[in-house]
């Protein structure tokens, strides 16, 4: 029996994604030469936020490998690029797609250089230069160059998966998070079991599983819930327009603001850690390094504000009122009691803003404000970060499922000609 054309497309794209994942996993095991492994472990334990965020962007700082930076530089570059587009004088919306991609890549390389140099200078390298042939600062720059090259290759790999595979960069990020999940779980549970607390460990596991299931359910409901706006068509009779509506997600931004907020949080950390190499006794820089984390009041407040702003911003990125207004006009549709054109655009902007605020409050209640509990006990910080991870995973799996469903159903309609 011959496979349907859409089935063949899904299989072809799925096989390409499998190949991409094999390369991704292999790259995670290619260690950077000349690095003191013990110092890497010490660094990752002292930088919990950087380690966690690295996992949410496809990276891994527990071992310094070719793909340790993950997609964080690219994601940060996309955010900065979006902010620059707000300045109309730059006219970034008028440049070609190819040139825009090159400029984004240059920006990502700059950010990757800051992150890799910060890590390389912070981590002690083997004094004998074993594996590299260099010693001193030259070796630091060599390690940084290898990490930058790995990040650029990973960005290219994610773009290839977006063109030929399934899920684009989402698959790599999701794979990185799931790969790190068992080790992170064992690192948390092993001390409990080693101390003889088998009952306590069992209760913790049961509670974690139940909590994850409840959070998953909440995330799915918020991810799929819609606010429907009735639509009429000037060419339709009154008996048919009632079943037509414009769906707007209750949480238009999805779970992406969580991941991007964490990425934004790490940029100052990398930058200040690089500065402290040159000014090791600067009290202001040392203060920011210590306090601009998710275990301190300043860092938590900054994260809460960034999360709120990005949730609003992503809502308008995912749901563009200008595009919807134009589409309604071209199809002859209109919103009841709202005039086409600018009044429709204004109406949709207000609705999207209201839903964006609902989504922002939802994310803040589960993944933002509870971080303040970490000021009482730092163990709460890890729990709240785990909640964020559940929301991120659900959001990415929903996006991947939507893409597969779209490929599966696009050929179910017969041609009219």
């Amino acid at each position: 029996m011959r496979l349907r054309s859409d089935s063949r497309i899904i299989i072809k794209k799925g096989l390409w994604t499998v190949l991409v994942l094999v390369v991704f996993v292999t790259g995670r095991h290619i260690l950077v030469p000349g690095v003191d492994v013990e110092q890497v472990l010490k660094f990752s334990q002292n930088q919990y936020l950087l380690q966690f965020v690295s996992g949410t962007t496809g990276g891994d700082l527990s071992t310094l490998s070719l793909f340790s930076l993950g997609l964080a530089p690219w994601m940060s570059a996309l955010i900065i690029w979006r902010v620059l587009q707000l300045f109309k004088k730059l006219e970034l919306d008028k440049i070609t797609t190819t040139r825009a991609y090159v400029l984004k890549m240059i920006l990502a390389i700059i950010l990757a250089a800051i992150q890799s140099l910060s890590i390389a200078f912070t981590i002690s390298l083997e004094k004998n230069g074993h594996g590299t042939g260099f010693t001193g600062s030259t070796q630091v720059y060599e390690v940084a160059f290898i990490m930058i090259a790995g990040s650029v290759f990973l960005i290219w790999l994610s773009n290839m998966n977006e063109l030929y595979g399934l899920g684009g960069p989402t698959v790599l990020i999701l794979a990185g998070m799931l790969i790190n999940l068992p080790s992170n779980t064992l690192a948390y549970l092993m001390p409990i079991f080693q101390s003889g607390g088998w009952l306590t460990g069992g209760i913790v596991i049961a509670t974690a599983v139940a909590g994850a299931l409840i959070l998953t359910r909440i995330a799915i409901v918020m991810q799929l819930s819609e606010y429907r706006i009735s639509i009429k068509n000037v060419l339709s009779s009154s008996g048919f327009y009632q079943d037509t509506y414009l769906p707007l997600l209750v949480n238009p931004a999805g779970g992406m603001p969580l991941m991007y907020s964490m990425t934004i949080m790490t940029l100052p950390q990398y930058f200040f850690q690089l500065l402290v190499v040159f000014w090791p006794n600067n009290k202001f820089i040392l203060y920011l390094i210590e306090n601009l984390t998710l275990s301190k009041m300043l860092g938590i407040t900054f994260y809460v504000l960034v999360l709120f702003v990005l949730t609003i911003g992503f809502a308008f990125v995912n749901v563009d009122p200008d595009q919807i207004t134009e589409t309604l006009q071209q199809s002859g549709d209109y919103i009841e009691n709202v005039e086409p054109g600018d009044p429709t655009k204004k109406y949709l902007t207000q609705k999207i803003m209201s839903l964006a605020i609902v989504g922002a409050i939802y994310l803040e209640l589960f993944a933002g404000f509870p971080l303040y509990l970490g000021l009482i006990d730092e163990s709460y910080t890890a729990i709240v970060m785990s909640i964020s991870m559940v929301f991120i995973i659900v959001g990415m799996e929903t996006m991947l499922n939507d893409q597969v469903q779209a490929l599966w159903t696009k050929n179910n309609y017969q041609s009219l000609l």
Side-chain angles (χ1 to χ4, degrees), residues 49-59 69-80 108 111-112 115 173 177 255-271 292 294 302-303 306-307 310 314 385 388 392:
L49 172 62
L50 299 183
Q51 168 65 7
F52 184 89
V53 174
S54 177
T56 62
T57 56
L69 294 183
L71 292 172
W74 180 246
M75 294 168 60
S76 302
L78 293 180
I79 295 177
I80 295 175
L111 296 174
Q115 296 182 24
I173 296 172
M177 295 179 67
M256 299 303 289
L258 290 168
M259 185 165 49
Y260 280 89
S261 296
M262 293 178 189
T263 304
I264 291 295
M265 277 291 296
T266 62
L267 285 180
Q269 280 288 323
Y270 284 119
F271 181 70
L292 205 58
L294 293 183
F302 178 68
Y303 175 78
V306 170
L307 179 59
L310 285 184
F314 270 103
M385 298 290 277
S388 300
I392 293 172

Side-chain angles (χ1 to χ4, degrees), residues 215-367:
L215 290 172
T216 300
R217 178 60 180 174
I218 294 173
I220 292 175
V221 170
M222 289 297 298
Q223 191 80 16
L224 302 180
S225 296
E226 296 178 346
Y227 176 83
R228 298 178 177 180
I229 300 175
S230 296
I231 298 295
K232 291 186 178 180
N233 189 285
V234 294
L235 301 179
S236 299
S237 64
S238 59
F240 295 96
Y241 72 81
Q242 295 175 348
D243 294 331
T244 306
Y245 60 87
L246 172 66
L248 297 178
L249 293 177
V250 174
N251 179 26
M256 299 303 289
L258 290 168
M259 185 165 49
Y260 280 89
S261 296
M262 293 178 189
T263 304
I264 291 295
M265 277 291 296
T266 62
L267 285 180
Q269 280 288 323
Y270 284 119
F271 181 70
F272 293 138
Q273 286 185 1
L274 182 59
L275 290 180
V276 83
V277 173
F278 304 99
W279 294 283
N281 298 321
N282 189 297
K283 295 183 179 179
F284 180 68
I285 297 177
L286 293 174
Y287 173 82
L288 291 176
I289 292 176
E290 182 180 356
N291 289 276
L292 205 58
T293 67
L294 293 183
S295 60
K296 302 292 183 180
M297 175 68 73
L298 177 63
I300 295 173
T301 303
F302 178 68
Y303 175 78
V304 167
L305 293 175
V306 170
L307 179 59
F308 187 88
V309 172
L310 285 184
T311 304
I312 302 297
F314 270 103
F316 284 94
V317 170
N318 295 339
V319 187
D320 188 350
D322 290 327
Q323 184 179 1
I324 296 176
T325 301
E326 183 179 351
T327 302
L328 289 175
Q329 285 183 310
Q330 292 176 350
S331 61
D333 296 331
Y334 66 96
I335 300 174
E336 187 175 4
N337 300 324
V338 180
E339 296 181 6
D342 289 338
T344 297
K345 175 185 174 182
K346 182 179 179 181
Y347 174 84
L348 289 173
T349 300
Q350 292 174 346
K351 290 296 182 182
I352 296 171
M353 175 59 75
S354 299
L355 294 174
I357 293 176
V358 171
I361 294 174
Y362 152 70
L363 292 179
E364 296 286 14
L365 288 176
F366 282 95

Side-chain angles (χ1 to χ4, degrees), residues 38-49 51 61:
E38 293 183 0
Q39 287 297 101
V40 174
L41 294 174
K42 182 179 179 181
F43 171 81
S44 62
Q45 291 170 356
N46 293 336
Q47 302 290 339
Y48 177 78
L49 172 62
Q51 168 65 7
L61 293 180

